[in-house]
Amino acid sequence: MNRINKKLQEDKKLLSIYFTAGYPKLNDTVEVIESLEKSGVDFIEIGLPFSDPLADGPTIQESSTAALENGMTSEVLFNQLKDIRKTVSIPLIIMGYFNPMMQYGVEAFCKKCAEIGIDGLIIPDLPVQDYNENYKAIFEKYGIINVFLITPQTSDERIRFIDSISNGFIYMVSSAGVTGAKNSFGDTQKTYFDRIAAMSLKAPQVIGFGISNAETFKQATLNAKGAIIGSAFVNNLSKNGIKSIPDFISSIR
Amino acid sequence: MSYFVDENGYYGQFGGAYIPEMLYPNVEELRQNYLKIMQEDSFKKEFDELLKEYVGRPTPLYFAKRLSEKYNTKIYLKREDLCHTGAHKVNNTIGQILMAKRLGKNRIIAETGAGQHGVATATVCALMGLECIVYMGEIDIARQAPNVARMKMLGATVIPALSGSRTLKDATNEAIRDWINNPVDTHYIIGSVVGPHPYPDMVARFQSVISEEIKWQLKEKEGKENPDYVIACVGGGSNAAGAFYHYLDDKEVGLIAVEAAGLGVDSGESAATSVLGNEGVIHGSKTLLMQTKDGQIIEPYSISAGLDYPGVGPLHAHLCESKRAEFISITDDEAMNAGLELCELEGIIPAIESSHALAVFNSKKFKKDDVVVLNLSGRGDKDLNTYIKYFKL
Ligand SMILES: Cc1ncc(COP(=O)(O)O)c(C=O)c1O
């Protein structure tokens, strides 16, 4: 069984962290991952930086630009991660935009992920239909889970469809917007969280975008299976460095 | 082979809608409605009337006698430079503002490079009384100051794009992020035949008025609808798409697309996507784009802000790959000199984008009785500072 599915069966709310690979320094990637696991994080999204991250706010734009300037590429990332399964056992997901994966070759990319022990991919700008028609078979061949996004604007009908083709979790984007830390969620978000919970979907939901602290984590995981912290973690990492990771994580739950 | 968009939003292998799920409802709403709305009688009537009374269409198809003599061929200039606001861009913004109104949107966003599309968008927003926000790279704001002032006078808010290279590509990123943040009340008026389906097709249809007019105008002047060649510059490709549109299936009409070579295609400072680019995804569309081996988008360069884009629209990628159109790259120097030559021979100061198209006469030889239509996409007022600096006027 894929590590993601195993993790989703655990009887607890899951905390996931997104960070940008190759940031703050090019060779920090592995140390960040190891520190996150030791601090008790349930799974990790490793951000593959892209020059034009359309769905990201300023924090992740800046970490992506810095990582690229540091020399991060798909090839470099795969090299950094080649022995990661000797030290890390929690699920690892690569999150990145489609173009770098397309240039690497989607099949070659998935094959490399499988060799290393990457469990899933999140590709915000790969459309559901395109995935279904052109890439699903490749992902399945290598046992890579593709994670789809839904938003407050996604229709019930489309959510049902996405649920039907999800074999891991559904990534619930918390609000209409790009990535970025928020201090609390308002009524619109609560209504949306309740609406999705009431749909009793087959795939567990993990909420991301705007989760930043214990309060937003708690609100998000009231119904959902877990939550993902991105920008707030990256902000903390750039301010306080890798050694601050355990404190940051213990401040969340 | 078809050169028009297929039902899935592709031109051959190019096109599609590579957008994050956050944009799906907006783009889908547009996709489901754009053709229906464009075919409504009331829409057509309002669009045609505004093009006539407000934009000043039809624009002349002007026989350039002295230019023709110099190059020993028959050259007609399609005078899009005479459109209200000074370029073809307004054909599209008139169409899209009417579309936005019918979709019930009351907030308009746009990206701009040279500022021509920003001005054309601010203009139609003023005309319709809608809120207008224009994203523009910080560097372009500095080099196109007069257009920034025009947008402000027209009531638009100009927001500098501070990310990445701070030019057109980044302004487009910021506009897309704005749309993600404002998914309900906002329409994004894209300025060229780029972006996710249905934008390339919708913008091409609004611009197709250019070749529609060329056909009957040429019939009046030459007794035939088809020229031997149509020449247009390509940034994203909207003026070229409009000038080519009604000739796409007429194989005897040669289509010439002119890209900016910047300091030279091999100089590292260029925007010649057809030479330097390969297949990839930018701004929601699979197309030819300039990128590193790792798939990071490369910052282009051209003296002309309107051609300073690392991709081309998917229609043009298809025209290039299928060889339906000939792609020619023109350097900064070639373009600037061709621009000055038009001033001297015809008394017309062209936009530097259009000057790239004019420079083709120096690199490609036409026959004496060839009828060549060149789409003069814009006027040079906005470029005076660049002309002054370049020629030390
Ligand atoms: C006068 C003029 N011509 C051409 C262009 C290039 O755009 P497109 O290739 O979409 O026609 C611009 C863009 O700003 C322009 O202002």
Side-chain angles (χ1 to χ4, degrees), chain A residues 24-77:
Chain A
K25 292 210 229 39
L26 180 63
N27 291 317
D28 285 342
T29 313
V30 170
E31 200 182 333
V32 170
I33 294 172
E34 291 175 351
S35 171
L36 284 170
E37 176 168 54
K38 283 199 197 89
S39 306
V41 162
D42 292 298
F43 63 99
I44 299 173
E45 289 168 43
I46 304 164
L48 177 64
F50 180 48
S51 55
D52 295 77
L54 292 180
D56 286 298
T59 302
I60 293 175
Q61 285 171 42
E62 278 160 29
S63 61
S64 299
T65 305
L68 291 172
E69 276 166 11
N70 290 343
M72 183 49 73
T73 65
S74 304
E75 198 66 63
V76 169
L77 178 62

Side-chain angles (χ1 to χ4, degrees), chain A residues 130-202:
Chain A
D130 206 39
Y131 167 78
N132 238 10
E133 284 167 15
N134 302 314
Y135 302 112
K136 188 163 180 271
I138 298 173
F139 277 58
E140 284 173 356
K141 176 172 165 196
Y142 294 101
I144 304 293
I145 286 178
N146 188 32
V147 177
F148 300 103
L149 274 57
I150 63 171
T151 82
Q153 267 67 44
T154 312
S155 68
D156 283 7
E157 185 192 355
R158 189 165 165 85
I159 292 174
R160 295 257 176 240
F161 172 67
I162 287 172
D163 187 39
S164 76
I165 60 170
S166 291
N167 51 4
F169 60 90
I170 290 178
Y171 192 134
M172 262 175 82
V173 174
S174 69
S175 37
V178 296
T179 55
K182 284 192 181 59
N183 286 324
S184 68
F185 288 125
D187 290 341
T188 342
Q189 271 85 42
K190 283 176 204 142
T191 315
Y192 161 60
F193 296 167
D194 290 344
R195 176 186 138 221
I196 303 303
M199 289 182 76
S200 308
L201 301 175
K202 153 183 90 65

Side-chain angles (χ1 to χ4, degrees), chain B residues 61-65 68 73-77 221-222 346:
Chain B
L61 183 69
Y62 164 71
F63 176 64
K65 184 158 168 288
S68 298
T73 188
K74 268 181 133 166
I75 303 172
Y76 284 90
L77 301 178
K221 289 172 202 293
E222 290 286 330
E346 299 288 347

